[in-house]
Amino acid sequence: MSLSTLFNHEEFIARHIGPNAADQAEMLAQIGASSIEDLVAQTIPDDIRFKQKLPLPDAVSEVDALAKIRAIAAKNIVNKSFIGLGYYPNITPNVILRNVLENPGWYTAYTPYQAEIAQGRLEALLNYQQMIIDMTGLDLANASLLDEATAAAEAMAMARRISKVKAEKFFVDEQVLPQTLDVVKTRAQYFGFELVIGTATAAGDDDYFGALLQYPGADGAVRDLTAPIAALKARGGVAIVAADLLALALLKSPAEMGADVAIGSSQRFGIPMGFGGPHAAYFAFKDEMKRSAPGRIIGVSIDAKGKTALRMALQTREQHIRREKANSNICTSQVLLANMAGMYAVYHGPAGIKRIAERTHRLASLFAQGVRAKGGEILHDAFFDTVQVNTGAQTVSIYAAALAAGYNLLQVSASVLSVAFHEAASQNDLATLIQLFTGQSLDLAALDEASSEVIPAALQRTSAYLTHPVFNRYHTEHEMLRYLKRLENRDLAMNHSMISLGSCTMKLNATSEMIPVTWAEFGNIHPFAPQAQTLGYFEMINGLADQLKAITGFDAICMQPNSGAQGEYAGLLAIRRYHDSRNEAHRDICLIPKSAHGTNPATAQMMGLKVVVVDCDDSGNVDLSDLKAKAELHGANLAALMLTYPSTHGVFETAVKAICATVHQFGGQVYMDGANLNAQVGLTRPADIGADVSHMNLHKTFCIPHGGGGPGMGPIGMKAHLAPFMSNHAVANIDQGDASVAQGQSAVSAAPFGSASILPISWMYITMMGAGGVKHATEIALLNANYMMQQLSAHYPVLYTGANGRVAHECIIDIRPLKAASGINEVDIAKRLMDYGFHAPTMSFPVAGTLMIEPTESESKAELDRFIAAMISIRQEIDQVQAGVWPSENNPLKNAPHSKNDIAADWDRPYSREVAFFPLPYVLDNKFWPSVNRIDDVYGDRNLICACPSMDQYDESA
């Protein structure tokens, strides 16, 4: 071997890809393909094949890739941030950092659709909801949204749905955070809302269907919003308050001022700034609004034995079911970050949270007092953490001196500087800042002794919060550690077994990819830090953009959208702006195939587009004749086609180029949903196929973990003609990288680069895989899927295949004939798979009564064979039911899952305990025990409880 070979720079490729060479050969023989190349040729239409080497560097070892990104990170300057504006340094408790954020048992789980094997995460989210309910004083809260700005936009949309005011006018407080206003402007434009911006006192001066008020304001001032809220509501408007969560530990709650909805960010509760994200936004509301609220809500129900059990309530798959009539297109939230924020409150408890808030406030108060003592002018008398100082002619010099001393301040204007204190600020920081502003040092002890209250008595909080026992019993690290572990053990994540969810691409999230996320050089950077301090971030982001351009063929990348649904929205937004620029704003028809993701029509309606559904043929492909007829019928008004490729039915449609050409012929643009990009990388490219814009789920194809239901990233790639219409940002203008974006164009997310701190994950993946590796990953994704399909096809009907009998990266098995014959349905199979140690495939999507299976390239043949064995065994159990051996309502499938509570219970079932708990030999070696039996969904929705139950309802042994 040569020295270069011995260094084995491509070693990571084999670490990421499951089947080894011998396994691949055996699997190819099983499915009747002579080689990988032969399989690809049979699967992907030749006219869209990308037959060159991807213009990417070769693979790099894990050690070398980490060294490269470490050198990039070192180019960031981590100053002490006192900028504020919704982003604050804080201290993540190490027990949460290591055991949640850095723990694959928490970050590799999927959205808790299968609640019986997600009870730990659901309890953590219920804690989070309870925390938000307590702090805001409102009745209910959801399990988080994407960021504060998105939450504000969603609240505005909800206000329109529930308000009886006929006017399409929405009021925005001039003290709303600028990035929030930016996103609200974007969303309002295509909803057709008129925004009126003014002082909070004017919120009740006209007929507004709703108003968004900031508390405290962007200037830091604390204002009593009770009167404007009352005036607004007297005219039928909905009152929305964007409130600082930490400030609510000391300030009167939004509910006590009359608010209907409270929104904001939980970033201050132990989540790093991360150059803008990911952070869990909170969304709280009155009980009567629960059926109009966006996002996920965790509710309390019971299982088949009457035991308390948790589940997602009401909105579980709302956007997939209601499609263009959905309340929102949101498909995920920020579960991992919501879990961390909720655990921060569990760890500190009410006394700890109040102490942190009081310390933060005291530092701000002493700073203001010190500046005043030396003749400085403080602009506001009442504030929580943010102090604005009239610095006059000294503004530039003080700002520069602070920079030189390692402090980032906010320059509000030519004569005003703002200083925002936070949990991580120290007494030394206080002394330094007073020195910078006054040129003199002060006796802090004397200043503290003479301090006085600056929050008006009428606005001081008197109501209790975090009173539930969960926030008052885990304050030693031992207890906290064990609580986290107890919850983790109730969740089935990727560290236990394969999660074969179709369309969700649950693949390896390699440790080396995750390591940079928690580096201070990425975590402790404010999104509005001076660009000179963020050179490393820009190098990494631009490098990732170049990688994605090479993979997709697009000319430009917008890295702002912080979820796949947000990417869809950003893509259609670029299309609408493009048509508007050509004086074709009348183009408002969006063609969407029946097979499309449910988020597609929901996104289209949010953009003010009219959805026209295109039929599919018997093979599940877009009906080309129907598409042509509808494109011609609506030609003058055709805006776009939303197309998923490979299709949601799991096949590469041969007519895809003709589909795109038809839309272009009539002046429309092609939006390609990137959910299935894992079947394209290196083998075909969206831009070459004919797409004008496509979003890329970095939490699918490019290895950002799903986090139990978020975070994600959904950047979009665009052809050159759409590039000027991507999202910009009002605070941090995007003028690096793809600088063709129009200046002053409003945003879709709160931060300029969305959840920037998780982008190193995708950068690391592509860097370590290289041009050959990412292509090979796609090839094996196709191989694994076709092997799975071939092995299962003898036992279950496969619904759709491509022209040569192949599937893409996923396959759909049809359970409807089995249900007709035996009464066993897809839900029964999903629950029974838990007894075999597996999470179910995607259930009843895109076709009701089916299971969609995506094994991904990261699963080994041994793991695939275990899953196949489980599915075959379940098929044999169905045969037993069908033959009458087991009663139709008393069998292992209808009683599944069998929880550990069943072990010692009386056993009068027509099958043995061994069949129930250990149906195959491998289960005994790696048994996952569901902590509850099958959950009663109907009971949960009829008896909606979305707050923590009493502690005696928790099973401590679970």
Side-chain angles (χ1 to χ4, degrees):
M1 286 188 183
S2 68
L3 185 61
S4 177
T5 303
L6 288 170
F7 272 102
N8 194 11
H9 297 295
E10 296 186 347
E11 183 179 21
F12 178 76
I13 298 173
R15 303 288 185 201
H16 176 82
I17 291 174
N20 60 30
D23 290 336
Q24 292 172 33
E26 184 180 344
M27 293 162 73
L28 286 164
Q30 287 274 357
I31 66 173
S34 60
S35 64
I36 287 287
E37 292 74 19
D38 180 37
L39 173 62
V40 171
Q42 293 177 34
T43 305
I44 302 178
D46 189 68
D47 66 340
I48 63 167
R49 282 288 307 280
F50 183 76
K51 298 181 180 178
Q52 310 158 44
K53 179 183 176 182
L54 281 173
L56 289 172
D58 291 333
V60 171
S61 72
E62 294 180 61
V63 171
D64 289 344
L66 281 168
K68 281 177 178 286
I69 201 163
R70 174 62 86 181
I72 291 172
K75 296 177 183 178
N76 289 331
I77 298 171
V78 185
N79 266 15
K80 294 187 175 185
S81 179
F82 288 77
I83 296 171
L85 286 184
Y87 301 95
Y88 302 86
N90 56 59
I91 300 167
T92 306
N94 286 322
V95 67
I96 296 174
L97 176 70
R98 173 162 289 187
N99 295 288
V100 179
L101 181 57
E102 297 178 344
N103 182 354
W106 285 88
Y107 67 67
T108 69
Y110 185 62
T111 305
Y113 291 132
Q114 297 296 337
E116 293 84 356
I117 51 175
Q119 287 297 294
R121 192 170 354 128
L122 287 164
E123 182 173 325
L125 288 174
L126 197 68
N127 293 344
Y128 169 83
Q129 288 180 183
Q130 183 69 64
M131 174 187 77
I132 300 303
I133 290 167
D134 285 0
M135 301 308 287
T136 63
L138 287 159
D139 302 320
L140 295 172
N142 70 16
S144 77
L145 293 178
L146 299 173
D147 55 42
E148 180 168 347
T150 305
E154 293 288 344
M156 174 179 67
M158 185 178 83
R160 177 61 286 173
R161 292 193 294 273
I162 63 180
S163 173
K164 293 181 170 57
V165 174
K166 293 183 179 179
E168 296 292 296
K169 290 194 292 187
F170 184 75
F171 183 86
V172 181
D173 181 357
E174 64 186 11
Q175 288 300 325
V176 159
L177 298 176
Q179 66 271 22
T180 299
L181 176 59
D182 203 24
V183 173
V184 168
K185 282 180 177 177
T186 305
R187 197 73 69 90
Q189 180 180 357
Y190 291 101
F191 275 147
F193 302 157
E194 177 189 349
L195 294 185
V196 178
I197 302 168
T199 60
T201 53
D205 289 353
D206 202 345
D207 288 335
Y208 301 115
F209 68 80
L212 174 65
L213 310 174
Q214 193 81 37
Y215 179 68
D219 60 2
V222 175
R223 301 173 176 88
D224 192 342
L225 302 176
T226 306
I229 286 174
L232 169 76
K233 293 173 67 172
R235 301 180 77 140
V238 176
I240 304 158
V241 173
D244 183 296
L245 200 59
L246 187 63
L248 294 182
L250 302 184
L251 297 179
K252 190 176 184 180
S253 74
E256 290 170 312
M257 292 189 294
D260 300 302
V261 180
I263 63 100
S265 174
S266 60
Q267 183 266 322
R268 300 193 83 157
F269 277 40
I271 314 300
M273 290 184 291
F275 204 43
H279 307 138
Y282 73 81
F283 192 103
F285 45 92
K286 288 187 170 180
D287 180 76
E288 59 263 30
M289 301 173 179
K290 59 180 176 268
R291 297 188 184 275
S292 295
R296 308 294 190 224
I297 301 175
I298 308 308
V300 180
S301 187
I302 57 173
D303 72 0
K305 293 194 167 184
K307 178 184 174 183
T308 298
L310 309 178
R311 55 185 278 278
M312 290 200 296
L314 302 178
Q315 287 90 342
T316 299
R317 289 182 73 90
E318 192 259 2
Q319 80 284 9
H320 286 277
I321 296 167
R322 300 190 68 215
R323 299 175 76 82
E324 69 271 16
K325 294 182 177 64
N327 289 336
S328 167
N329 73 335
I330 291 174
C331 194
T332 57
S333 54
Q334 299 284 26
V335 168
L336 183 66
L337 296 316
N339 286 338
M340 288 179 65
M343 288 303 171
Y344 179 91
V346 170
Y347 179 79
H348 286 293
I353 295 295
K354 186 174 183 180
R355 185 180 299 111
I356 293 166
E358 287 179 331
R359 185 174 75 234
T360 300
H361 177 57
R362 180 68 61 83
L363 289 169
S365 299
L366 294 182
F367 171 75
Q369 191 173 327
V371 171
R372 274 202 186 106
K374 297 302 178 183
E377 181 187 354
I378 304 301
L379 296 186
H380 305 293
D381 292 329
F383 51 82
F384 168 64
D385 62 9
T386 300
V387 181
Q388 290 197 346
V389 185
N390 184 354
T391 42
Q394 293 182 295
T395 301
V396 172
S397 62
I398 293 174
Y399 183 85
L403 274 182
Y407 290 82
N408 288 346
L409 309 178
L410 177 65
Q411 184 170 340
V412 178
S413 69
S415 60
V416 176
L417 290 176
S418 178
V419 184
F421 288 85
H422 46 77
E423 179 189 8
S426 68
Q427 294 181 66
N428 287 338
D429 295 329
L430 173 61
T432 301
L433 288 164
I434 291 175
Q435 174 84 32
L436 285 166
F437 275 77
T438 67
Q440 301 177 47
S441 59
L442 292 177
D443 182 342
L444 293 187
L447 198 64
D448 188 26
E449 194 172 326
S451 65
S452 59
E453 182 57 67
V454 301
I455 299 175
L459 285 176
Q460 292 177 21
R461 181 154 194 158
T462 57
S463 55
Y465 50 85
L466 304 181
T467 58
H468 190 275
V470 75
F471 300 111
N472 294 279
R473 65 183 298 180
Y474 302 115
H475 296 161
T476 68
E477 183 159 332
H478 247 155
E479 285 299 307
M480 188 69 185
L481 177 65
R482 289 166 181 162
Y483 181 55
L484 291 172
K485 184 62 178 175
R486 192 156 66 243
L487 296 190
E488 179 191 342
N489 288 344
R490 298 176 190 170
D491 277 22
L492 192 149
M494 294 280 281
N495 60 342
H496 181 89
S497 61
M498 173 174 70
I499 298 180
S500 60
L501 286 152
S503 186
C504 297
T505 316
M506 299 290 289
K507 62 205 285 183
L508 173 71
N509 314 120
T511 307
S512 290
E513 295 158 9
M514 300 300 296
I515 284 174
V517 170
T518 51
W519 289 347
E521 295 90 343
F522 287 129
N524 293 351
I525 303 284
H526 193 288
F528 308 148
Q531 283 196 3
Q533 297 175 14
T534 59
L535 298 180
Y537 250 120
F538 278 101
E539 182 176 336
M540 184 272 295
I541 290 170
N542 291 335
L544 177 58
D546 288 341
Q547 291 171 334
L548 296 176
K549 287 179 197 175
I551 287 168
T552 62
F554 286 115
D555 302 304
I557 303 290
C558 174
M559 209 69 76
Q560 189 174 111
N562 53 3
S563 77
Q566 202 82 302
E568 289 182 20
Y569 185 87
L572 290 189
L573 176 64
I575 289 173
R576 291 229 67 175
R577 285 171 170 170
Y578 167 73
H579 287 315
D580 291 352
S581 75
R582 293 159 56 86
N583 296 316
E584 293 188 325
H586 59 274
R587 289 188 174 270
D588 63 354
I589 298 295
C590 187
L591 302 178
I592 301 182
K594 279 185 178 177
S595 62
H597 281 106
T599 52
N600 287 178
T603 303
Q605 68 84 22
M606 287 172 62
M607 282 303 309
L609 296 171
K610 299 170 186 172
V611 174
V612 173
V613 177
V614 178
D615 289 335
C616 291
D617 61 23
D618 293 339
S619 300
N621 301 316
V622 173
D623 186 324
L624 190 56
S625 61
D626 188 55
L627 173 75
K628 288 180 175 178
K630 284 170 178 169
E632 184 172 6
L633 175 65
H634 299 286
N637 297 313
L638 180 59
L641 165 74
M642 298 186 80
L643 178 73
T644 302
Y645 198 75
S647 76
T648 311
H649 290 149
V651 297
F652 282 95
E653 301 185 37
T654 57
V656 65
K657 278 202 163 182
I659 290 169
C660 294
T662 298
V663 174
H664 289 146
Q665 176 187 345
F666 293 100
Q669 297 287 290
V670 175
Y671 167 86
M672 185 174 285
D673 188 308
N676 297 339
L677 190 60
N678 207 49
Q680 289 194 44
V681 178
L683 303 179
T684 185
R685 304 196 302 181
D688 299 345
I689 293 170
D692 299 290
V693 58
S694 176
H695 87 266
M696 295 155 259
N697 294 95
L698 300 190
H699 51 289
K700 296 184 181 183
T701 302
F702 299 105
C703 293
I704 291 175
H706 283 64
M713 276 291 280
I716 56 172
M718 290 163 285
K719 294 278 186 71
H721 67 281
L722 290 182
F725 306 102
M726 71 172 80
S727 299
N728 207 311
H729 198 274
V731 182
N733 200 51
I734 300 170
D735 58 3
Q736 294 198 26
D738 292 313
S740 53
V741 57
Q743 305 306 292
Q745 204 150 253
S746 59
V748 296
S749 301
F753 299 102
S755 297
S757 68
I758 56 176
L759 294 177
I761 300 169
S762 299
W763 186 98
M764 283 288 292
Y765 169 69
I766 299 170
T767 299
M768 292 189 295
M769 294 291 281
V774 293
K775 176 185 177 184
H776 191 46
T778 311
E779 293 170 338
I780 302 307
L782 300 183
L783 174 61
N784 280 1
N786 280 279
Y787 175 73
M788 180 76 73
M789 183 269 290
Q790 190 269 340
Q791 294 291 304
L792 292 180
S793 62
H795 307 275
Y796 297 89
V798 175
L799 194 56
Y800 298 116
T801 58
N804 297 308
R806 300 296 186 193
V807 295
H809 61 308
E810 60 194 10
C811 66
I812 300 175
I813 59 173
D814 195 351
I815 310 304
R816 292 171 296 184
L818 296 178
K819 179 182 178 181
S822 67
I824 299 299
N825 60 33
E826 69 280 3
V827 175
D828 300 323
I829 296 172
K831 303 308 180 188
R832 182 59 172 151
L833 272 168
M834 297 176 191
D835 293 328
Y836 287 82
F838 285 107
H839 192 291
T842 300
M843 190 175 68
S844 290
F845 174 78
V847 180
T850 65
L851 294 172
M852 182 162 61
I853 305 168
E854 181 182 358
T856 86
E857 73 276 7
S858 293
E859 298 301 341
S860 66
K861 181 177 180 294
E863 186 73 356
L864 300 185
D865 287 341
R866 274 193 290 273
F867 181 82
I868 290 164
M871 290 297 292
I872 292 173
S873 178
I874 287 172
R875 181 67 179 87
Q876 292 166 351
E877 292 174 349
I878 295 172
D879 289 342
Q880 296 278 76
V881 176
Q882 190 171 341
V885 176
W886 290 329
S888 61
E889 294 301 322
N890 187 10
N891 56 68
L893 292 115
K894 288 295 183 183
N895 292 330
H898 299 82
S899 78
K900 57 187 174 183
N901 299 309
D902 293 323
I903 299 173
D906 292 338
W907 196 264
D908 58 355
R909 299 179 182 182
Y911 54 93
S912 69
R913 294 181 198 263
E914 182 179 17
V915 167
F917 302 122
F918 306 107
L920 287 174
Y922 77 80
V923 179
L924 190 60
D925 294 329
N926 189 30
K927 176 65 179 176
F928 180 88
W929 291 100
S931 55
V932 296
N933 293 92
R934 193 176 302 194
I935 294 174
D936 189 332
D937 292 329
V938 174
Y939 178 94
D941 279 348
R942 286 179 177 170
N943 303 275
L944 187 66
I945 301 172
C946 300
C948 292
S950 62
M951 292 302 294
D952 59 9
Q953 294 187 53
Y954 288 113
D955 180 0
E956 287 292 328
S957 65

